[in-house]
Structure formats: C-alpha cells, structure tokens
Amino acid sequence: TATTDIYTLSLHDALPISLATVTLAAMSGLAGAAAAHAASDLTLVTLPDQGENAIYNFVNSATSSIDVTIYELKDVTLENDLVAKEKAGVNVRVILDNAQKSYNTAAYNTLTAGGVGVVWSSTSFTYTHQKTITVNNDESYISSGNFDTTYYATSRDFGVLDTDATDVSAITAVFNADYAHTSITPSDGDDLVWSPTDSQSHLLSLINGAQHTLDVEQEEFSDTTLVNAIVADENRGVTVRVVVEDPSSYSSEITEVENAGGKVTGYSSTTGYYIHAKTVIADYGTSTAKAFVGSENFSSNSLNDNRELGIITTDSGVVSGLETAFNGDFSGSDNNKVAIFSPGSQTTATGT
C-alpha cells in the first residue's frame, strides 16, 4: 500500500490544517468503460478505477484511421498498438507536444520507426495539452489524462467516448489543421470546449449558471476569472465544494472560497493518489444538471494559450459518474478503491 495526505478545509477549520492519512488499498480486476445510459452518444471512463483497457480496446477497434493528439505519451502498449495498426493498413497519425519533446522523443522514435505519421505540435500554442484519440473518423476519446504509464495507477482522471457525429467532425477538422500547422477556429460541435478559443467563456457560463450546487475537481486552481465566479456563486447562495491537488500552491484562492463559505479538500502526495482531473459539476440531481470534463486546468495558460479540448454535457450517465467520483474524492473514501500496480513518482508538475 501507499499513503496520501488529505487536507480537508472549510471556513470553520482552524490553522494548522488538520491532516488525515488515507491508505490506498491494492485492488485488481477493474477494467472496461462504464456505460452512460441507453442511446447516449457519450460513455464515461473513470480512472484509475477502470484501468486503461477501454483506451487500448478503442485503438484496436480501428479499421481505417486513428488520430491522436497528446501532451505526454509514454505507454509502450499503446505505442505498439498504434504501430501494429499502421502495419495492418490503418492510417495512424499522431501530434506530440513540442514543448515536451525531450519527454516524448522515445515515443516519437518508436512510432516513426513503425511507419506512423508523427508531427511535433505547432509553436502557436504554449502547450498542446489536448488528450484525444479519434478512430475511423466516427468516434473520439476525450481525456483529462495523458497516455503515460507513470501516472495510470494513482491519478484521478476521466475520459469520455463520444460518438456524436457533429463533435467528431469538429475534432477531426481541428486535428487536420493542427497536424498541418495551419490555423483554424474550432467548431464546438454539440458539446465541445476548446482552448485557446472559448474554454474560459464556456466554463464561466457553466459556473455562473449554477443555481444550487457547484462541485469542482481540479489539478490547478489559479485562474482569477473562474475563481472569482465560484466565489460569486457562493455569495448568492450556491453550495460550493472543491477538490484540488497541492492546495499549498493555491492558498490565496482557497482562502477566498473558504471565506465565502465553500469547503475544500486538498490532496498532497509525492507518490500516492493524485488529483489530475479537471471537472465541474453544476446542480447535480436537478433537471438542469450539467458537467464539464476535459484537459483544461483552471489556469490562464491552459485556458488562453494552449490547445485543449473538453466537453460540457447534460448527459445523465456522464454527470452522475463524475459526481460519484467527486463525492468519493471529497470525502477521501475513493482512495480505498485505487489499484496500485506501479505507483511511480509524482514529485514534479510533469503530466499536467
């Protein structure tokens, strides 16, 4: 087992912050995607609970094309699957983040040696932080997590399999432009949220639209516009809860949320459970419930300078799955569900 420190913060807590230690219990047999609901275009994958098999199976279902945009790629299984598909006649193309070139070079070499088309991302973006796979131009996997085995076992992340034709068409169009290093104004399709064009405005609308509750789970929590909107929600009576990684890095923002009546659970660990998720859930349990999940962190860089992709949806399966995971992370109980196969070291910001 491994341990993670959890800091539960609220307006009523006195300093120093009380510390609870949660044991991560080793479990196995968690794999596959969770079905959202009948006739839905969206299927939620909750990580690390369900493992990466849904991603591997998705890639291996390809018969004509695979497009991958990824910030960090360090997964030999996935790399080998992509090469095998290319050799089987599938057109495989990959965009790797240029700013992470040293980290991604091993994957670049493996893929190019196997005949896969690989480009480094455009320097028009500070980072290409998007984490997406599209198969056969008819289904996309939109993720908050990198494809990196270093983090699989211990990182809270989510992915959504999306078969909405308008969404997939928009994702494909952006991939084609980014692969060619040409400019494009992305279409939002039916559900999409893009950086650097509109993610901040869409997230602001989601937060401002909350009437009853707002649950936010974020690795980073520094964007002034969004934090101010959360505080404004609290001031007009919305119940706010936040789960954040490394709360000491966002002490002033957390203080603002607490002082307005919100409650915050912060995780801090070098090797244990790590909040890499990026989600917002508004008004869960009501007819107007909706949620965001994607690659966008609450930082100015992520929202305004990077290439990022997420979705905002009212899909009940996605919303309820995100809320269930949030509740477990907020209380600390979900730590006991985490499968520790090879925890790895998470001592730096790499993998954001």
Side-chain angles (χ1 to χ4, degrees):
T1 61
T3 60
T4 293
D5 297 332
I6 298 182
Y7 303 82
T8 301
L9 318 175
S10 75
L11 178 61
H12 306 291
D13 289 330
L15 294 177
I17 300 168
S18 61
L19 172 66
T21 301
V22 177
T23 299
L24 301 178
M27 296 179 66
S28 61
L30 299 172
H37 59 82
S40 174
D41 292 321
L42 305 177
T43 302
L44 182 68
V45 180
T46 301
L47 301 169
D49 308 50
Q50 295 172 265
E52 310 302 316
N53 283 351
I55 301 170
Y56 301 143
N57 292 341
F58 182 51
V59 166
N60 285 311
S61 73
T63 57
S64 59
S65 67
I66 304 172
D67 294 334
V68 181
T69 302
I70 187 64
Y71 176 66
E72 287 183 351
L73 177 57
K74 188 180 180 182
D75 180 335
V76 173
T77 299
L78 180 57
E79 293 160 35
N80 288 341
D81 285 347
L82 293 170
V83 168
K85 280 296 177 180
E86 176 69 33
K87 292 183 181 299
V90 174
N91 182 27
V92 181
R93 301 180 297 170
V94 178
I95 300 171
L96 296 174
D97 180 55
N98 187 66
Q100 292 289 90
K101 185 174 286 187
S102 61
Y103 194 87
N104 289 322
T105 292
Y108 178 93
N109 291 340
T110 296
L111 295 174
T112 55
V116 173
V118 187
V119 300
W120 297 108
S121 63
S122 170
T123 55
S124 298
F125 310 113
T126 301
Y127 299 103
T128 289
H129 191 248
Q130 180 183 345
K131 310 149 195 311
T132 307
I133 303 172
T134 299
V135 165
N136 300 335
N137 290 328
D138 62 14
E139 185 171 5
S140 294
Y141 178 75
I142 302 165
S143 181
S144 69
N146 295 298
F147 306 138
D148 187 338
T149 55
T150 308
Y151 308 106
Y152 286 164
T154 54
S155 290
R156 164 63 77 216
D157 271 305
F158 300 96
V160 175
L161 291 159
D162 185 353
T163 58
D164 181 283
T166 308
D167 288 349
V168 177
S169 177
I171 293 167
T172 300
V174 172
F175 180 91
N176 288 337
D178 288 356
Y179 191 83
H181 289 192
T182 58
S183 63
I184 187 172
T185 300
S187 166
D188 289 337
D190 290 323
D191 305 286
L192 306 178
V193 178
W194 292 98
S195 288
T197 50
D198 62 17
S199 60
Q200 188 179 58
S201 61
H202 281 309
L203 285 166
L204 186 60
S205 293
L206 177 62
I207 294 167
N208 287 341
Q211 298 299 311
H212 307 286
T213 61
L214 188 74
D215 293 333
V216 177
E217 187 158 23
Q218 275 283 331
E219 182 188 21
E220 299 180 5
F221 197 67
S222 62
D223 184 73
T224 301
T225 299
L226 297 186
V227 172
N228 286 347
I230 291 169
V231 171
D233 274 7
E234 297 176 281
N235 288 335
R236 59 186 175 82
V238 175
T239 300
V240 171
R241 300 184 298 170
V242 175
V243 173
V244 66
E245 180 65 30
D246 191 15
S248 63
S249 294
Y250 311 106
S251 56
S252 63
E253 292 86 356
I254 288 170
T255 297
E256 288 183 58
V257 171
E258 293 172 344
N259 286 345
K263 295 183 178 180
V264 180
T265 295
Y267 285 74
S268 179
S269 172
T270 57
T271 59
Y273 195 51
Y274 188 93
I275 302 301
H276 191 259
K278 305 93 167 58
T279 68
V280 179
I281 308 153
D283 294 334
Y284 179 73
T286 74
S287 60
T288 58
K290 62 174 62 175
F292 160 82
V293 60
S295 69
E296 288 95 336
N297 289 304
F298 274 23
S299 71
S300 179
N301 205 46
S302 180
L303 300 172
N304 300 311
D305 301 313
N306 294 353
R307 168 64 80 215
E308 310 264 11
L309 176 60
I311 66 169
I312 292 177
T313 181
T314 60
D315 182 281
S316 62
V318 173
V319 174
S320 63
L322 294 175
E323 180 73 4
T324 296
F326 178 90
N327 284 332
D329 292 341
F330 184 78
S331 67
S333 62
D334 254 13
N335 289 273
N336 296 317
K337 301 178 183 178
V338 178
I340 304 300
F341 300 113
S342 56
S345 176
Q346 297 177 11
T347 58
T348 72
T350 299
T352 58

